[in-house]
């Protein structure tokens, strides 16, 4: 395992993350924004300021766009090229965690920790997403490893290479996702020094008088030109709105509760959180500086983001490496060592996962029997998701019963289900349903969105869109000459709010649509039929809002 473990993990990472990544549509709202911003930077010959839909995009720093750019040049502008930076950063993270586990413990523990990290549900999602999270997670993980070697590891003077690992990671991490890369290690150190271990640390080993200038130099190489060219807007909006305001107020009306991350851990860390009791027993048995540091490393993002007003499940990803390095030590325990609540917790968690997998499968069956004629190819989304969850459950059971020979078969079920899920989700995205018509429109066409303005329209249409907020504005546009392409929502049915209310009529779908005929977006407008417009109707899923949507478009070439 020591000699070939890294190669095996690299192959497994690509096996898990590549299938379906080329056909899975870019999921609103973040993925299309990052992917399109890179395209627009390339079209402008721009290296400093990201743009989206022709306007400044201040949400994140520039590193992820730089990383996507060479893949666009090599592979074209497509979903796989946009996702390759995250996939490769996940591959690097997997190899780093394996090296950490091997260095701290042994090769088997390192392999177990890394395999658990790779196959947990949140990494399955974000490890392939075209967003900035995985470069940041990699940078934070390297920083926290370097801090252990510089401050906590007992013994001789630390190797100078850890100085460079720490400060280069800190600088590049800021270019990936802002100051979070600096805040997380600081909070982890405070937890370790003043709450969990409470012993002095050799702070001089950090050589801050040399390290801080390294970070500032990396940040300034991009940050100063960006601030100058935008008259400081990148700081005021990027930091003020997207960091500070998210900390004091929810975005997009998301309502959560104080224990949100502990509840969503059952989703994010599925299925391996079922072994939580094994990790707890290890910490009780081996309260060493290393394990206390790993616990601080794990706790830091939970502490920070539990106090943060905006909460999303993936925000705590930087702590996952520590979680699995603690959990993997549980392989040392015999099954009888985990008697009591750890065993009860395992079976309760696994049973809940099994129940969820069954309910997801039944939801797909219900769609197939009653609603499928109206929303084609929707049932495979649920069935493949159920198969993925089933595969993860089977893996955890194989580990629990120490039947490791069954793990590859369970993993194969997950890998084979991913392309089915990707293809099925692709067919339900309205932007892809309208893509051919959008791209066939003349170059001078004016593209207008009313009530449906998801970023996927911008990416898949590759045109600039004007968003209107009233039918009067739409009417005015209709009266103007020239080619037009106008999109609007006919009706929305939220899965979490009003699906039950609409369930009865979903069972008796209208011809070609599950939506009522009483409220069409463009009915009553200026007489567009006599103005040369063609009408198209599409029924699909808006993944960003978890709703069924009927999207109407009408266009004149």
């Amino acid at each position: 395992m020591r000699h070939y473990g890294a190669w095996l993990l690299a192959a497994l990472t690509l096996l898990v993350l590549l299938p379906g990544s080329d056909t899975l549509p870019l999921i609103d709202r973040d993925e299309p924004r990052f992917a399109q911003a890179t395209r627009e930077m390339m079209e402008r010959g721009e290296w400093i300021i990201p743009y989206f839909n022709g306007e400044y995009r201040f949400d994140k720093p520039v590193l992820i766009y730089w990383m996507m750019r060479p893949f666009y040049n090599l592979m074209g502008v497509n979903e796989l090229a946009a996702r390759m930076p995250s996939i490769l950063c996940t591959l690097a993270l997997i190899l780093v965690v394996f090296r950490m586990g091997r260095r701290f413990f042994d090769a088997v523990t390192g392999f177990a920790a890394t395999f658990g990290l790779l196959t947990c549900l949140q990494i399955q999602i974000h490890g392939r997403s075209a967003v900035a999270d995985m470069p940041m997670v990699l940078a934070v993980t390297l920083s926290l490893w370097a801090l252990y070697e510089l401050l906590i590891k007992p013994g001789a003077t630390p190797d100078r290479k850890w100085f460079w690992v720490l400060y280069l990671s800190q600088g590049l991490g800021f270019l990936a996702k802002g100051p979070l890369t600096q805040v997380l290690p600081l909070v982890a150190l405070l937890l370790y020094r003043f709450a969990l271990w409470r012993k002095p640390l050799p702070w001089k080993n950090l050589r801050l008088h040399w390290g801080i200038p390294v970070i500032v130099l990396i940040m300034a190489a991009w940050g100063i030109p960006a601030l100058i060219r935008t008259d400081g807007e990148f700081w005021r909006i990027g930091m003020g709105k997207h960091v500070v305001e998210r900390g004091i107020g929810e975005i997009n009306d998301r309502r959560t509760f104080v224990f949100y991350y502990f509840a969503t851990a059952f989703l994010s860390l599925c299925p391996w959180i079922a072994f939580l009791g094994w990790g707890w027993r290890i910490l009780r048995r081996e309260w060493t500086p290393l394990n206390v540091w790993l616990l601080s490393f794990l706790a830091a993002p939970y502490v920070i983001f539990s106090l943060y007003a905006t909460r999303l499940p993936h925000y705590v990803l930087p702590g996952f490496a520590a979680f699995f390095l603690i959990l993997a030590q549980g392989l040392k325990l015999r099954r009888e060592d985990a008697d009591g609540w750890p065993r009860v917790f395992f079976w309760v968690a696994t049973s809940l996962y099994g129940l969820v997998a069954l309910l997801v499968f039944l939801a797909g069956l219900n769609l197939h029997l009653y609603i499928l004629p109206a929303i084609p190819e929707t049932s495979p989304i649920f069935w493949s998701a159920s198969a993925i969850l089933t595969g993860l459950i089977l893996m955890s059971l194989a580990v629990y019963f120490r039947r490791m020979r069954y793990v590859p078969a369970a993993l194969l079920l997950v890998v084979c289900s991913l392309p089915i899920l990707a293809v099925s989700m692709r067919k339900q995205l309205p932007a892809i349903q309208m893509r051919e018509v959008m791209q066939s429109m003349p170059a001078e066409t004016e593209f207008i969105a009313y009530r449906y303005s998801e970023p996927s329209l911008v990416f898949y249409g590759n045109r600039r869109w004007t968003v209107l907020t009233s039918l009067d504005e739409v009417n005015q546009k209709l009266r103007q000459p020239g080619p037009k392409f106008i999109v609007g929502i006919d009706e929305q049915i939220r899965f979490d709010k009003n699906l039950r209310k609409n369930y009865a009529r979903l069972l008796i779908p209208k011809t070609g649509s599950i939506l009522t005929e009483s409220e069409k977006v463009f009915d009553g407008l200026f007489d567009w039929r006599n103005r040369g417009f063609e009408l198209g109707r599409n029924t699909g899923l808006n993944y960003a809002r978890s709703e069924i949507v009927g999207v109407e478009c009408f266009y004149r070439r």
Side-chain angles (χ1 to χ4, degrees):
M1 186 66 68
R2 183 177 184 83
H3 300 292
Y4 60 82
W7 292 103
L8 179 57
L9 284 167
L12 284 173
T13 301
L14 297 178
L15 176 67
V16 168
L17 295 181
L18 284 177
S21 292
D22 57 336
T23 51
L24 182 70
L26 296 178
I27 304 299
D28 289 310
R29 296 179 172 175
D30 290 333
E31 280 195 296
R33 286 173 173 159
F34 282 98
Q36 178 66 15
T38 303
R39 172 195 268 160
E40 293 189 25
M41 289 179 73
M42 293 175 65
E43 291 172 350
R44 293 170 177 267
E46 177 64 66
W47 287 93
I48 303 298
I49 308 299
Y51 291 82
F52 176 78
N53 200 30
E55 299 179 352
Y56 288 147
R57 172 168 163 77
F58 296 122
D59 297 51
K60 297 294 182 292
V62 78
L63 182 62
I64 186 64
Y65 311 113
W66 289 349
M67 295 176 72
M68 287 183 184
R69 196 161 182 159
F71 292 102
Y72 279 12
N73 286 326
L74 288 171
M75 305 166 63
V77 179
N78 55 57
E79 293 90 350
L80 182 59
R83 291 184 169 120
M84 282 305 297
S86 286
I87 292 172
L88 293 182
C89 284
T90 304
L91 173 60
L93 176 69
I94 292 302
L95 297 178
V96 165
V97 174
F98 175 66
R99 289 290 300 272
M100 290 172 70
R102 191 175 69 179
R103 183 177 178 88
F104 296 161
F105 308 108
D106 53 64
V108 173
T109 302
F111 187 91
T114 308
F115 183 81
L117 177 63
L118 173 62
T119 54
C120 77
L121 195 55
Q122 193 59 254
I123 291 292
Q124 291 286 304
I125 297 169
H126 265 78
R128 73 180 81 239
S129 295
V131 293
D133 291 272
M134 293 315 299
M136 178 273 295
V137 171
L138 175 61
V140 170
T141 303
L142 285 169
S143 297
L144 290 165
W145 185 7
L147 284 170
Y148 172 78
E149 299 287 348
L150 290 169
L151 292 179
I152 297 166
K153 182 181 178 181
T157 303
D159 193 313
R160 185 172 295 180
K161 71 179 181 183
W162 295 110
F163 170 89
W164 292 106
V165 170
L166 173 61
Y167 292 111
L168 290 177
S169 298
Q170 285 286 290
L172 292 173
F174 181 89
L175 294 186
K177 209 173 178 183
L180 181 61
T181 312
Q182 287 73 51
V183 173
L184 278 167
L186 176 61
V187 172
L189 278 173
L190 293 175
L191 288 171
Y192 180 86
R193 173 62 182 83
F194 297 106
L196 298 176
W197 194 247
R198 292 178 292 180
K199 293 183 180 179
L201 293 172
W203 299 107
K204 67 180 188 311
N205 288 351
L206 292 179
R207 295 190 288 173
L208 292 173
H209 58 291
W210 291 107
I212 291 177
V214 172
I215 299 174
V216 171
L217 186 62
I218 295 172
M219 293 164 53
W222 165 77
I224 291 176
L227 292 175
I228 292 172
R229 288 183 52 189
T230 62
D231 295 324
E233 285 297 296
F234 224 121
W235 178 265
R236 286 191 292 271
I237 298 178
M239 289 293 295
K241 178 179 179 180
H242 294 287
V243 176
V244 177
E245 287 187 18
R246 288 188 179 200
I248 60 178
E250 295 91 349
I251 59 169
N252 298 331
D253 297 321
R254 293 187 175 99
R255 303 296 181 203
T256 58
F257 52 97
V258 68
F259 296 110
Y260 173 82
Y261 288 109
F262 298 97
T264 57
F266 284 87
L267 170 69
S268 296
L269 295 167
C270 171
W272 307 111
I273 197 173
F275 291 91
L276 181 66
W278 276 251
W280 176 259
R281 289 284 168 87
I282 283 292
L283 289 174
R284 293 288 300 274
R285 182 178 294 187
E286 300 183 22
W287 191 250
T288 62
L290 172 57
N291 276 335
V292 174
W293 175 239
L294 292 176
L295 181 59
S296 304
F297 184 168
L298 169 61
Y302 281 88
V303 170
I304 293 169
F305 290 112
S306 292
L307 301 175
Y308 211 64
T310 299
R311 300 185 179 107
L312 291 171
H314 66 275
Y315 280 2
V316 293
L317 265 171
F320 282 18
F323 175 82
F324 284 102
L325 284 167
I326 294 172
L327 211 62
Q329 297 173 65
L331 291 175
K332 304 172 186 177
L333 298 174
R334 297 171 297 177
R335 201 185 309 163
E336 52 268 28
D337 292 333
D339 281 339
W341 78 263
R343 179 171 294 185
V344 172
F345 185 86
F346 173 86
W347 285 110
V348 169
T350 303
S351 299
L352 287 174
Y353 288 141
L355 178 61
V356 171
L358 177 61
L359 292 175
V360 171
F361 175 83
L362 292 176
L365 184 61
N366 188 39
L367 286 170
H368 179 73
L369 293 176
Y370 297 109
I371 311 174
L372 186 59
I375 328 175
E377 305 296 336
T378 302
S379 296
I381 295 177
F382 290 83
W383 290 336
S384 53
S386 177
I388 291 169
L389 184 53
T390 300
L392 295 175
I393 295 168
L394 292 175
M395 276 196 289
S396 68
L397 290 171
V399 171
Y400 179 82
F401 288 110
R402 306 296 174 97
R403 300 290 190 269
M404 301 303 181
R405 63 183 180 274
Y406 297 119
V407 170
L411 180 61
L412 186 63
L413 176 61
V414 174
V415 171
C416 291
S417 301
L418 286 168
I420 300 172
L421 177 66
V423 170
S424 302
M425 291 182 68
R426 188 178 189 84
K427 293 179 180 179
Q428 296 305 315
L429 191 71
I432 291 180
Q433 294 171 356
M434 295 182 286
R435 185 180 191 177
E436 185 176 346
V437 177
M438 288 192 293
Q439 294 183 347
S440 70
M441 298 297 291
E444 66 274 17
T445 301
E446 187 174 9
F447 284 79
I448 299 161
Y450 169 69
R451 295 181 63 193
Y452 186 82
S453 56
E454 298 298 345
S456 55
L457 287 174
V458 184
F459 178 80
Y460 287 107
N462 192 24
R463 304 293 183 94
R464 303 294 178 265
W465 287 77
T466 301
V467 178
L468 302 182
T469 57
S470 74
L471 283 176
D472 288 339
E473 293 176 304
V474 176
N475 208 349
Q476 291 175 10
K477 290 291 184 182
L478 284 170
R479 295 174 183 273
Q480 297 172 2
K484 299 279 190 297
F485 188 98
I486 305 180
V487 168
I489 286 184
D490 176 296
E491 191 173 350
Q492 304 142 273
I493 300 177
R494 291 288 301 261
F495 282 104
D496 58 340
K497 290 185 177 179
N498 58 0
L499 182 59
R500 183 183 300 176
K501 180 178 67 177
N502 291 278
Y503 188 75
R505 69 180 171 80
L506 289 176
L507 297 179
I508 312 174
K510 303 284 183 181
T511 303
S513 175
I514 62 169
L515 305 171
T516 61
E517 300 293 332
S518 59
E519 184 190 351
K520 294 301 180 185
V521 168
F522 303 116
D523 283 358
L525 289 181
F526 181 76
D527 189 12
W528 55 268
R529 292 177 180 85
N530 295 326
R531 292 284 179 167
F533 284 95
E534 300 177 62
L535 174 66
R537 290 193 176 106
N538 301 280
T539 301
L541 301 176
N542 185 346
Y543 300 113
R545 297 180 179 273
S546 302
E547 61 190 16
I548 303 169
V549 292
V551 178
E552 289 186 339
C553 64
F554 69 115
Y555 47 92
R556 180 179 61 199
R557 290 184 171 86

